[in-house]
Amino acid sequence: MTVTTLKLEGRLDTAAVARVEIGFSARAGALTGQGHSAILDLQDLTYMSSLGIRLLVTTLKQFRQRGVTFVTLRPRDATANEILQVAGLTDHLNMVDSVDAAHAALGGNP
């Protein structure tokens, strides 16, 4: 199984989403459920605007439609965690606290 890590970090505000969306979406969109799994690495995320939330929701929908297994590395920043909670995303992100836990949840080795 191939594990692809997709990392979002820092402030994911309107300007940052404009810079990263095309590349991030292309990498996420290239994954299929056939032998692909993903780690959404949000550990270094400090803020997320509504456009950042939209980027995550779109990615989750793509993964579900294609049958991609994924886990999300929980942000270390309390504000970023709170934004995900308020947006109602924590129940949908398969959150784990470490890279080792992510690989274990996906059934592989780091």
Side-chain angles (χ1 to χ4, degrees):
M1 178 180 295
T2 302
V3 177
T4 300
T5 299
L6 301 166
K7 185 173 183 73
L8 294 171
E9 60 189 354
R11 291 183 56 83
L12 197 55
D13 55 18
T14 303
V17 170
R19 282 193 311 272
V20 304
E21 184 170 25
I22 291 172
F24 184 85
S25 295
R27 288 191 67 214
L31 302 178
T32 65
Q34 302 162 341
H36 290 117
S37 59
I39 297 172
L40 295 175
D41 184 349
L42 305 182
Q43 285 186 317
D44 296 323
L45 189 69
T46 57
Y47 173 79
M48 181 179 293
S49 71
S50 60
L51 287 178
I53 291 168
R54 180 187 57 110
L55 178 62
L56 272 184
V57 168
T58 301
T59 301
L60 297 179
K61 285 181 180 179
Q62 285 180 347
F63 286 171
R64 288 206 173 97
Q65 288 172 349
R66 294 187 176 125
V68 175
T69 303
F70 72 94
V71 294
T72 303
L73 288 171
R74 184 182 319 279
R76 290 185 276 249
D77 183 83
T79 300
N81 270 309
E82 185 176 344
I83 290 168
L84 292 173
Q85 288 173 354
V86 169
L89 289 176
T90 53
D91 291 340
H92 304 283
L93 288 171
N94 307 324
M95 302 282 254
V96 296
D97 293 317
S98 70
V99 173
D100 289 340
H103 285 280
L106 294 172
N109 296 318

